[in-house]
Amino acid sequence: DTGVSQDPRHKITKRGQNVTFRCDPISEHNRLYWYRQTLGQGPEFLTYFQNEAQLEKSRLLSDRFSAERPKGSFSTLEIQRTEQGDSAMYLCASSFTAPSSPLHFGNGTRLTVT
Amino acid sequence: QQQVKQSPQSLIVQKGGISIINCAYENTAFDYFPWYQQFPGKGPALLIAIRPDVSEKKEGRFTISFNKSAKQFSLHIMDSQPGDSATYFCAASFQAGGGNKLTFGTGTQLKVEL
């Protein structure tokens, strides 16, 4: 399977703890995106990378969130001091740089903060 | 600010019928309009997409109709099948400086009954 891979699939944590998610994009893709999806809503953009450079961050991405893509391949999304409002599905997607290149999504990491 | 509005929120269609989902956008800079299909526990998957220089695009049973002056586009699913039961999201992006970043609608939960 050469699709976008996310790990873990599910994460349950207590409020105040830190969590880290990993995304492995399709290897040929140089763009990588993070989205957040809450129940009954569409995915909301958080941030994206072109190779190792983080080019844009949404206002949704508070100071407690940090994303990295150190070698332009896999990416990590860390949430510090988790809050119950952080409970959501965190989706990763990747694409080529060319205009209108479709985004290919992984199956997400479901975070539950208790 | 919701830049892409989607309706209806849910839809029940009989097997063999036509499913129609509508979206409206506000940002006239949008120049790429995909539809994504999402099954429970999975990430969104690209179904079909259109650019504003055409008014209609058809792929198999799926058709996008696009009205640039009204800033609206819709998805038609012909001969709907139970396997089409899923959540459908419209989305939009602009390429110039947009980074292929998608803005999603709120989703339509489609159920196709036998």
Side-chain angles (χ1 to χ4, degrees), chain A residues 9 31 33 35 37 40-43 45 48 56 89 91 95-107, chain B residues 1 9 31-32 36 38 41-46 51 89 93 95 97-107:
Chain A
R9 289 297 315 277
R31 282 200 177 151
Y33 308 78
Y35 281 78
Q37 185 176 25
Q41 298 296 315
F45 170 78
Y48 88 96
E56 187 174 344
M89 174 79 84
L91 293 163
S95 77
F96 291 110
T97 306
S100 304
S101 288
L103 270 63
H104 297 261
F105 283 86
N107 288 329
Chain B
Q1 180 187 6
Q9 188 174 6
D31 58 6
Y32 176 68
Y36 279 78
Q38 186 175 30
K42 301 289 188 182
L46 179 67
R51 294 186 62 85
F89 293 96
S93 69
Q95 303 310 304
N100 293 356
K101 179 187 67 180
L102 293 172
T103 299
F104 284 85
T106 51

